Amino acid sequence: AFVLAELAPRLMVEKHLGTAAELSIQGFFIISGCLVLGSLIRSEKIGIYAEKRIRRLYPAYAVIILVPALIALFFGGAFNQVLAYILPNLAFLNFLEPTLPGLFEDNPMPAVNGALWTLKIEVMFYMALPIIWWFIRKPGALCTFAWIAMFVGAELWRQFFMQFDHGLDASLAEKISRQLPGQMGYFAIGMLINQKWHELNQPKFWWALTGIVLIALSLWQPLLHILRPIGLGLVIVWIAFSAGPALNAARYGDMSYGIYITHFPIIQACIAFGVFASPFVGFAVSMALTLLVSFALWHLVEKRALLPSSHYRKSS
């Protein structure tokens, strides 16, 4: 919201919030690596695993692509331009056409849903995971090599493209560095958590302290970025396994995915209608709308698309 509404353009607060957002997305990749590997292990066949992933991800994703496109058509957008948005975005190629005619064109940033770039990485990970699991499922030299390759290969990929530090090449190189395998270190930590689950259920406070130090080192010195997945993993494990109140967070539905894929266009709409003229009102309205839309998306689309045996349905 700070970036899209230009509430503090190029000030330190925007930079710090950007760092927090980056760490949050990387933490999400860790959690995804853990949970999705569990889904694969529980699946009797690759086809069942693929079906579960499609049911969980795609119906809500398709809705969030098609609804803005229909709105653009309603307000007079040319059909061929709208179609040029729909086709690549339904295929997770959001970078090919991020905008719609007549929608958010006067906003500081006209993209319809800039948060969706991570889902392409998610889908690529889903596709690669069965192959990765074949390498790491049995201890031995092949397993050790696979773990090392995921960490070191991801960092080599990232560091190579981060060497471009000027001109148009720099912008493109930064985007490429964020793609798979550049994020594989985070997924790998998540998979490792899945494999060591029962050994981690007695968390130690020094795990969190060590994790915070490693994250700080990676932020201080970019060459130490390889430490960040380990640091984030330690913090996440400590939070996940520490004693705390029973939140029963899914009792109204699992709205986490819905919040992620709807918040960006909702903020954009609030900006377009001038709601962010008062930042406090803008935040309040966009947060309320995001929760409301996510609640509806879960109950009307996501939950209905899942198998009856899905743990997402059972937990809610």
Side-chain angles (χ1 to χ4, degrees), residues 117-196:
W117 70 271
T118 63
L119 297 185
K120 174 168 51 25
I121 296 174
E122 274 287 297
V123 171
M124 292 172 69
F125 172 66
Y126 294 167
M127 295 169 68
L129 185 57
I131 300 171
I132 296 170
W133 176 236
W134 187 87
F135 282 98
I136 66 173
R137 61 182 175 177
K138 294 181 180 178
L142 192 62
C143 174
T144 304
F145 172 79
W147 285 113
I148 294 173
M150 282 190 284
F151 281 104
V152 176
E155 192 58 23
L156 288 175
W157 173 280
R158 204 189 73 85
Q159 292 290 350
F160 173 78
F161 286 103
M162 291 305 290
Q163 299 307 309
F164 297 85
D165 57 359
H166 63 277
L168 292 175
D169 288 344
S171 176
L172 178 61
E174 183 184 4
K175 292 178 182 178
I176 296 174
S177 73
R178 293 205 306 260
Q179 307 307 308
L180 229 57
Q183 305 286 351
M184 186 53 76
Y186 299 100
F187 289 111
I189 282 291
M191 290 186 280
L192 193 60
I193 292 171
N194 177 282
Q195 294 297 282
K196 303 293 183 181

Side-chain angles (χ1 to χ4, degrees), residues 61 88-97 120:
Y61 177 84
N89 278 272
L90 285 178
F92 299 101
L93 302 175
N94 318 95
F95 62 94
L96 292 178
E97 186 51 77
K120 174 168 51 25

